[in-house]
Amino acid sequence: MEKYDVIIIGGACAGMSSAIYSSRRELKTLVLTKDIGGQIAITTEVENYPGYESIMGPELAQKLKAQAEKSGAEIKMEVVTEIKKAGDDYILTTANGEYQAPVVILTFGLKQRQLGAKGENELTGRGVAYCATCDGPLFRGKKVGVVGGGNSSFDAAEYLSTLASEVHLFNRTDKYRAEDVLVDTVKAAKNITIHNFTEIEEFVGEQRLEKVLLKNTSTNEASEIILDGVFIEIGWVSQVDSIKGLKDMLEIDERGYVVVDNQSKTSAPGLFAAGDVTNTPFKQAVISAGEGAKASMSAAVYLQRLKGGSIVINNKK
Amino acid sequence: MATELNNETFQKEVLDYKEGPVLVDFHAPWCGPCQMMGPIIDELGSEVEGSGIKVFKVDVDAQQELAQKFGVMSIPTLIIFKDGKPKETMMGVQQKENLKSMLEANK
């Protein structure tokens, strides 16, 4: 089993920033992640990450990775399935083996919320999609739907209206959480129809999505619409459950977020967390990056105490 | 490295190839997850060289006909072909080791 000083689970803004700070402290650092960049990698333009007036999300993700690697961190594209405690250390299991470290930093963010409608799982990737910027261009000239009333769904609708022939936006109420300016743009688009008080009951199709069964949430009236694709953009939820043993080790709030103090410590010694996975408010790339740095600095202090040495205050490099 | 295919080369390299499994990565330049997958596919392509296993890429933007033919509606989509027929389809970023063992299993 390979031993590290610090293992970071997750490879987006919080994780890569953690990795940069840990490896610059000359701590043997491993990042285990299923992807690079997380939510940022599926965003189009990022215009609020300081230092870049404007940068494409995937490019920012690659830059974070390159910087973490240059700092000395090892990055493995492996999914952690289980965590166990062994003395002062944690043992992490992936499909490729086990990794051990006294410090684990949780930075694996959130996962996209599913609608929970009938046929959704079966038709995912066959017309049901969760990433307009990834899969949108595959629906050029086709009829598509978008589910949700927030910024991400209105954003998706606006983007898809430039590609698809028709866009139908489904919202359960007549209120929108999206910014007014975005709502106005969507309302002004000629090929977007907003269906208020409407939810999707079922996705129907054999090999691919053929039609969608709808229900009016105020009158219960049923209807259907023929669509080639539907993009589900209804937010993000906790995925703490995806690692066996994790939620029994630490405090988690009612929404599934990992509870941390102002030094990024969880309730379990040696377990730190940063970014969207935590109960820290405001899910933003720059906040995650800052929190990731803080978690690593806090972890370095913990490691020094554990090893009984003096505490290094400044970075060595 | 993994070579990019077009309609004609796809026929020869994938559909007419009978010596082993062929992995095809359907991707596009504008897709973030595809940019993560790209280097993994290139590495895998180099590692399996000479083993009978082949690894290729198809840009769905440039090759819309191929994307339609194999029902690609989400990218990246990875398809393992055996004797010219699709055997396994995977969507989203995949790990190299998993792809390798799936290819070995289809040898």
Side-chain angles (χ1 to χ4, degrees):
Chain A
M1 192 182 326
E2 273 186 88
K3 261 203 89 163
Y4 292 83
D5 295 319
V6 175
I7 300 178
I8 296 157
I9 310 177
C13 295
M16 291 307 179
S17 172
S18 269
I20 292 163
Y21 272 77
S22 287
S23 37
R24 282 173 64 87
R25 282 282 176 104
E26 290 181 355
L27 298 170
K28 193 180 177 206
T29 305
L30 171 68
V31 178
L32 294 172
T33 185
K34 71 172 191 311
D35 63 6
I36 304 294
Q39 288 189 49
I40 266 301
I42 59 169
T43 311
T44 48
E45 265 181 304
V46 179
E47 294 180 330
N48 54 9
Y49 196 89
Y52 296 102
E53 256 176 53
S54 170
I55 184 167
M56 294 308 284
E59 193 190 346
L60 179 57
Q62 291 306 320
K63 281 184 187 289
L64 289 166
K65 175 177 180 257
Q67 193 175 356
E69 280 176 330
K70 200 179 166 214
S71 307
E74 200 180 327
I75 298 170
K76 288 180 189 273
M77 299 278 286
E78 294 180 30
V79 178
V80 176
T81 52
E82 190 175 358
I83 183 167
K84 283 186 297 237
K85 184 99 204 234
D88 283 333
D89 283 359
Y90 290 94
I91 296 169
L92 304 178
T93 311
T94 74
N96 294 23
E98 291 187 327
Y99 303 94
Q100 188 173 352
V103 163
V104 172
I105 305 178
L106 310 169
T107 63
F108 52 82
L110 304 170
K111 66 173 179 188
Q112 277 169 308
R113 187 195 294 274
Q114 288 194 300
L115 197 56
K118 212 176 152 198
E120 182 176 355
N121 287 334
E122 294 79 358
L123 290 165
T124 292
R126 299 176 191 282
V128 176
Y130 297 87
C131 175
T133 52
C134 307
D135 300 339
L138 296 167
F139 295 86
R140 256 190 207 106
K142 305 227 161 116
K143 286 161 81 172
V144 300
V146 179
V147 185
N151 274 327
S152 53
S153 65
F154 274 74
D155 227 357
E158 195 222 335
Y159 171 62
L160 290 166
S161 73
T162 63
L163 301 161
S165 61
E166 282 175 35
V167 179
H168 297 265
L169 181 65
F170 304 108
N171 188 33
R172 298 185 58 191
T173 63
D174 62 349
K175 308 246 180 330
Y176 315 121
R177 281 168 288 108
E179 289 163 25
D180 292 343
V181 51
L182 200 50
V183 173
D184 291 343
T185 314
V186 163
K187 279 183 172 166
K190 284 194 179 68
N191 59 345
I192 304 178
T193 312
I194 301 180
H195 302 259
N196 287 328
F197 297 109
T198 305
E199 63 182 17
I200 291 183
E201 288 265 283
E202 187 178 347
F203 296 100
V204 182
E206 283 291 319
Q207 288 304 306
R208 57 201 293 170
L209 181 67
E210 288 158 18
K211 65 178 179 182
V212 176
L213 307 187
L214 304 169
K215 189 179 92 177
N216 185 306
T217 55
S218 62
T219 63
N220 274 339
E221 197 183 320
S223 61
E224 59 178 64
I225 182 166
I226 292 174
L227 293 172
D228 300 298
V230 173
F231 291 82
I232 297 166
E233 303 277 354
I234 51 172
W236 297 75
V237 286
S238 165
Q239 53 178 343
V240 168
D241 279 349
S242 67
I243 301 177
K244 195 179 157 199
L246 184 58
K247 73 169 195 275
D248 305 323
M249 281 180 180
L250 39 72
E251 192 190 340
I252 287 166
D253 76 6
E254 68 285 352
R255 288 166 304 174
Y257 297 151
V258 174
V259 176
V260 287
D261 67 10
N262 65 3
Q263 294 185 49
S264 312
K265 288 181 198 152
T266 72
S267 59
L271 270 188
F272 298 79
D276 291 1
V277 74
T278 70
N279 62 338
T280 305
F282 310 120
K283 311 297 184 201
Q284 292 292 313
V286 62
I287 291 177
S288 290
E291 293 286 316
K294 194 166 76 181
S296 274
M297 298 182 89
S298 192
V301 173
Y302 171 84
L303 276 174
Q304 288 287 344
R305 289 205 177 121
L306 196 65
K307 289 174 179 170
S310 59
I311 296 164
V312 181
I313 305 293
N314 296 311
N315 280 337
K316 283 185 182 171
K317 286 183 206 164
Chain B
M1 280 301 287
T3 312
E4 292 276 351
L5 297 179
N6 60 32
N7 224 341
E8 286 103 74
T9 50
F10 192 91
Q11 179 69 37
K12 174 173 167 275
E13 301 283 4
V14 181
L15 301 181
D16 297 344
Y17 184 73
K18 302 283 184 296
E19 320 301 318
V22 185
L23 176 71
V24 183
D25 169 25
F26 290 86
H27 68 100
W30 31 257
C31 142
C34 301
Q35 290 174 11
M36 288 175 222
M37 201 64 235
I40 301 176
I41 291 294
D42 284 337
E43 251 176 63
L44 184 62
S46 304
E47 283 175 27
V48 299
E49 219 165 285
S51 69
I53 296 171
K54 298 274 184 184
V55 179
F56 295 105
K57 295 182 192 177
V58 168
D59 180 338
V60 297
D61 236 6
Q63 308 299 330
Q64 293 190 11
E65 210 177 303
L66 283 175
Q68 292 238 318
K69 186 172 173 186
F70 296 102
V72 176
M73 298 177 89
S74 171
I75 46 171
T77 286
L78 292 113
I79 304 181
I80 295 177
F81 290 84
K82 183 80 190 287
D83 298 321
K85 290 191 179 64
K87 286 272 290 185
E88 313 266 2
T89 302
M90 292 151 279
M91 282 170 280
V93 175
Q94 306 292 322
Q95 300 173 47
K96 190 174 73 185
E97 295 311 315
N98 297 359
L99 290 173
K100 222 172 173 176
S101 54
M102 284 184 86
L103 284 164
E104 290 292 340
N106 277 290
K107 236 180 154 177

